[in-house]
Amino acid sequence: MGCAPSKRGSDEKSLQGSRDSRDFEAERISAMVLMANPIVEVTIGSGIAREPDFMHTVLFVFGGPGSQKGVLTQELAHEFDFTLINIEDIVFSYLPNKVANTVADISEIQEMLRRDSGVLTLEWILSMISAKLSTSSNQRFIIDIVPELTSILRSETYRTGDHDKKLEHFERRHPVFFAMELFVSGEEKMYEAQNENDSARNELNTKELSPELTAFVRGIDEADKGRLEKRILNYHKCARPFLKYFNKTKRVVRFDLKVPHNPEILYAVRKTLTDFGFAKNNDFIRVVLFVPREKNVTDIDLDYYRLRKVYLSDICHDREETLSQQIRAVRKFIYRTAKENENYLVILNCLNNTDYPLTKKINFSEVKDTYLDYFIRHREQRVPAQRCKMAFRAISTTTAELCLFPKSMGEQLCNKIGFIFGEKLTFSESNSRANSRAPSAMSTNPLDSLQPD
């Protein structure tokens, strides 16, 4: 009897060693799976608009085990200024109030959901999401509608009812831009990795553990495998009706990771969002909005768009200056006075269009009928007094500025102004421009290669 504790301690040490070996082996197998890093295949539904409505940009995200949904949504929230809304937060924050505060903490909420799976309804969940969207000062949202917790996932909300009608009702107030599906076509890789891991551990168990502990560890392996299979199955059952709804209108962007935990998914999603026109938090392109008369823009919330209003007559006192002299003077003024993340509204109240024949083609010009939000990404974190939607003529320069004009302005005049504004800078201008930029932006400033006149 005196030897029993020693024998038990020895077996526990062996079991711990087995667990350490199991963890190492799992990491090795995961690394083997990831080494190939197949290219993520992206399929974009034809029903998705080519640009978001910046009144509110709402995305739904779907992804099961191995899709890296959690990491990805956090990255998007940080890089593209999205607000993440997930079901767990909704349930744990608002369900106690729904049931008259009869539950006090998370464990009690989960226990209540196990006892009564019908306490949650999709109507209530979507109404809570709608309330968050309506009261938030942000404009970009990612909604993770499929819960991770089994206690929520088993709710009747995700097994019964007409999802289409409920989602249609939700979209009357908050149209969804598209649904993002993180699809793992090679889900069997997770099972293969699990099986390889099991084989390695079983071989180790036979050599080092007693028969009793070997059986115990094998039981853990089978339970882990069963849980993984159930998680994948439950995810698909829950996500299917939502994805079916968005597929009807061809508003699904599917990212096929090919294999679980494929790190290429981060790059693929970033590129897709950038292609749709979303700017990253650290991207700043100064917008200079030129208008012939102030009455064209009286409704613009200047503070919200960080637009500094200036008059051409206050910059150019000599009314005999030519067009090229006037626009170059505006450019110098902006580079000398601009603050970080500041845009400009230039009232052309004394424009002299007497010179500068248009001999070169403007390569980056487009006309777009949209909100000013489409062009100005760095705005104040609040709801604007009024949004400005009109037809804009946009001309990109080679010096990281965007010149905007009302479409009513003549195309040739806009091209002239855009070309003059984007000319190669003088040495003094480049210094002024660099000083107006934040240190983080100066590291990628294209002006580093400019030479003095």
Side-chain angles (χ1 to χ4, degrees), residues 338-400:
K339 299 177 182 178
E340 182 182 355
N341 292 353
E342 187 174 45
N343 304 295
Y344 278 79
L345 169 62
V346 181
I347 311 297
L348 302 172
N349 59 338
C350 63
L351 191 65
N352 186 355
N353 185 20
T354 58
D355 76 332
Y356 214 86
L358 189 62
T359 57
K360 296 187 178 182
K361 183 180 178 182
I362 300 294
N363 294 321
F364 307 102
S365 177
E366 64 174 341
V367 176
K368 190 178 292 291
D369 188 359
T370 185
Y371 290 96
L372 192 56
D373 303 55
Y374 179 81
F375 301 103
I376 298 180
R377 311 297 170 81
H378 283 262
R379 307 179 293 271
E380 288 191 350
Q381 294 298 313
R382 62 176 175 83
V383 177
Q386 185 171 341
R387 281 188 169 85
C388 175
K389 184 174 184 179
M390 58 187 289
F392 293 101
R393 195 182 302 278
I395 298 177
S396 301
T397 73
T398 58
T399 53

Side-chain angles (χ1 to χ4, degrees), residues 49-55 57 139-140 177 273-279 285 287 304-305 366-379 387-390 392 394 402 404:
R50 298 313 301 176
E51 64 184 58
D53 179 353
F54 285 96
M55 294 295 288
T57 302
Q139 296 172 313
R140 298 178 179 179
F177 187 29
L273 288 182
T274 302
D275 289 345
F276 271 114
F278 292 101
I285 298 178
V287 171
Y304 173 72
Y305 293 109
E366 64 174 341
V367 176
K368 190 178 292 291
D369 188 359
T370 185
Y371 290 96
L372 192 56
D373 303 55
Y374 179 81
F375 301 103
I376 298 180
R377 311 297 170 81
H378 283 262
R379 307 179 293 271
R387 281 188 169 85
C388 175
K389 184 174 184 179
M390 58 187 289
F392 293 101
L402 182 68
L404 288 184

